Coordinates of all heavy atoms in Angstrom, one line a residue:
A238 N 1.1 -6.1 -5.7 CA 1.4 -5.9 -7.2 C 1.7 -7.2 -7.8 O 1.7 -7.4 -9.0 CB 2.5 -4.9 -7.3
G239 N 2.1 -8.2 -7.0 CA 2.5 -9.5 -7.5 C 3.9 -9.9 -7.5 O 4.4 -10.9 -8.1
I240 N 4.8 -9.0 -6.9 CA 6.2 -9.2 -6.8 C 6.7 -9.1 -5.4 O 7.5 -8.2 -5.0 CB 6.9 -8.2 -7.7 CG1 6.4 -6.8 -7.6 CG2 6.9 -8.7 -9.2 CD1 7.1 -5.8 -8.3
P241 N 6.2 -10.0 -4.5 CA 6.5 -9.9 -3.1 C 8.0 -9.9 -2.7 O 8.3 -9.5 -1.6 CB 5.7 -11.1 -2.5 CG 5.6 -12.0 -3.6 CD 5.5 -11.2 -4.8
W242 N 8.8 -10.4 -3.5 CA 10.3 -10.4 -3.2 C 10.9 -9.1 -3.4 O 12.1 -8.9 -3.0 CB 11.0 -11.5 -4.1 CG 10.9 -11.2 -5.6 CD1 11.7 -10.4 -6.3 CD2 9.9 -11.6 -6.5 NE1 11.3 -10.3 -7.6 CE2 10.2 -11.0 -7.7 CE3 8.7 -12.4 -6.3 CZ2 9.4 -11.3 -8.9 CZ3 7.9 -12.6 -7.5 CH2 8.3 -12.1 -8.7
A243 N 10.3 -8.2 -4.1 CA 10.9 -6.9 -4.5 C 10.8 -6.0 -3.2 O 10.0 -6.1 -2.4 CB 10.2 -6.2 -5.6
R244 N 11.8 -5.0 -3.2 CA 11.8 -4.1 -2.1 C 11.7 -2.6 -2.6 O 12.4 -2.3 -3.6 CB 13.2 -4.2 -1.3 CG 13.3 -5.6 -0.6 CD 12.3 -5.7 0.5 NE 12.4 -7.1 1.1 CZ 11.7 -8.1 0.8 NH1 10.8 -8.0 -0.2 NH2 11.8 -9.3 1.4
L245 N 11.0 -1.8 -1.9 CA 10.8 -0.4 -2.3 C 12.1 0.4 -2.0 O 12.8 0.1 -1.1 CB 9.6 0.2 -1.5 CG 8.2 -0.3 -1.8 CD1 7.2 0.3 -0.8 CD2 7.8 -0.1 -3.2
D246 N 12.3 1.3 -2.9 CA 13.4 2.2 -2.7 C 13.0 3.5 -2.1 O 13.8 4.2 -1.4 CB 14.1 2.6 -4.1 CG 14.7 1.4 -4.8 OD1 15.6 0.8 -4.2 OD2 14.2 1.0 -5.9
K247 N 11.7 3.9 -2.2 CA 11.2 5.2 -1.6 C 9.7 5.1 -1.4 O 9.0 4.5 -2.2 CB 11.6 6.3 -2.6 CG 11.2 7.7 -2.0 CD 11.3 8.8 -3.1 CE 12.8 9.0 -3.4 NZ 12.9 10.2 -4.3
V248 N 9.3 5.7 -0.4 CA 7.8 5.9 -0.1 C 7.5 7.4 0.0 O 8.1 8.1 0.8 CB 7.4 5.2 1.2 CG1 5.9 5.5 1.5 CG2 7.7 3.7 1.1
I249 N 6.7 7.9 -0.8 CA 6.2 9.3 -0.8 C 4.8 9.3 -0.2 O 3.9 8.8 -0.8 CB 6.2 9.9 -2.2 CG1 7.6 9.8 -2.8 CG2 5.7 11.3 -2.2 CD1 7.7 10.3 -4.2
G250 N 4.7 9.9 1.0 CA 3.4 10.0 1.6 C 2.7 11.3 1.1 O 3.3 12.3 0.9
V251 N 1.4 11.2 1.0 CA 0.6 12.3 0.6 C -0.4 12.7 1.7 O -1.1 11.8 2.2 CB -0.2 12.0 -0.7 CG1 -0.9 13.3 -1.2 CG2 0.8 11.5 -1.8
M252 N -0.5 14.0 2.0 CA -1.4 14.5 3.0 C -1.9 15.9 2.7 O -1.1 16.6 2.0 CB -0.8 14.4 4.4 CG 0.4 15.3 4.6 SD 1.1 15.0 6.2 CE 2.4 16.3 6.2
K253 N -3.1 16.2 3.0 CA -3.6 17.5 2.8 C -3.1 18.5 3.8 O -2.6 18.1 4.9 CB -5.2 17.5 2.9 CG -5.9 17.1 1.7 CD -7.4 17.5 1.9 CE -8.2 17.1 0.7 NZ -8.7 15.8 0.7
A254 N -3.2 19.8 3.5 CA -2.8 20.9 4.4 C -3.8 21.1 5.5 O -3.6 21.8 6.4 CB -2.5 22.2 3.6
Y255 N -4.9 20.4 5.4 CA -6.0 20.3 6.4 C -6.5 18.9 6.4 O -5.9 18.0 5.7 CB -7.1 21.3 6.2 CG -7.8 21.2 4.8 CD1 -8.9 20.5 4.7 CD2 -7.2 21.8 3.7 CE1 -9.6 20.4 3.4 CE2 -7.8 21.7 2.5 CZ -9.0 21.0 2.3 OH -9.6 20.9 1.1
S256 N -7.5 18.5 7.1 CA -8.0 17.2 7.1 C -9.3 17.0 6.4 O -10.1 18.0 6.3 CB -8.2 16.7 8.5 OG -7.0 16.7 9.2
S257 N -9.6 15.9 5.8 CA -10.9 15.6 5.2 C -11.1 14.1 5.3 O -10.2 13.3 5.4 CB -10.9 16.0 3.7 OG -10.1 15.2 2.9
C258 N -12.4 13.7 5.3 CA -12.8 12.3 5.6 C -14.1 12.1 5.0 O -15.1 12.8 5.2 CB -12.8 12.1 7.1 SG -13.5 10.5 7.6
V259 N -14.2 11.0 4.1 CA -15.5 10.6 3.5 C -16.0 9.4 4.3 O -15.3 8.5 4.6 CB -15.3 10.2 2.1 CG1 -16.7 9.7 1.5 CG2 -14.9 11.4 1.2
G260 N -17.3 9.5 4.7 CA -17.9 8.3 5.4 C -17.9 8.4 6.9 O -17.6 9.5 7.5
E261 N -18.2 7.3 7.5 CA -18.4 7.3 9.0 C -17.1 7.1 9.7 O -16.0 6.8 9.1 CB -19.4 6.1 9.3 CG -20.7 6.2 8.5 CD -21.5 7.4 8.7 OE1 -21.5 7.9 9.9 OE2 -22.1 7.9 7.8
G262 N -17.2 7.1 11.0 CA -16.1 6.8 11.9 C -15.5 8.0 12.6 O -15.9 9.2 12.3

């Protein structure tokens, strides 16, 4: 974002109730 000295207060992870994947691998 351009402010490398800043520190996050919270991380909210997002995930599906099942799995999905676009592309190879």
Side-chain angles (χ1 to χ4, degrees):
I240 43 173
W242 62 87
R244 296 294 179 265
L245 294 174
D246 296 297
K247 182 189 292 187
V248 176
I249 301 175
V251 185
M252 60 187 189
K253 278 193 176 88
Y255 56 97
S256 297
S257 70
C258 172
V259 175
E261 308 299 325

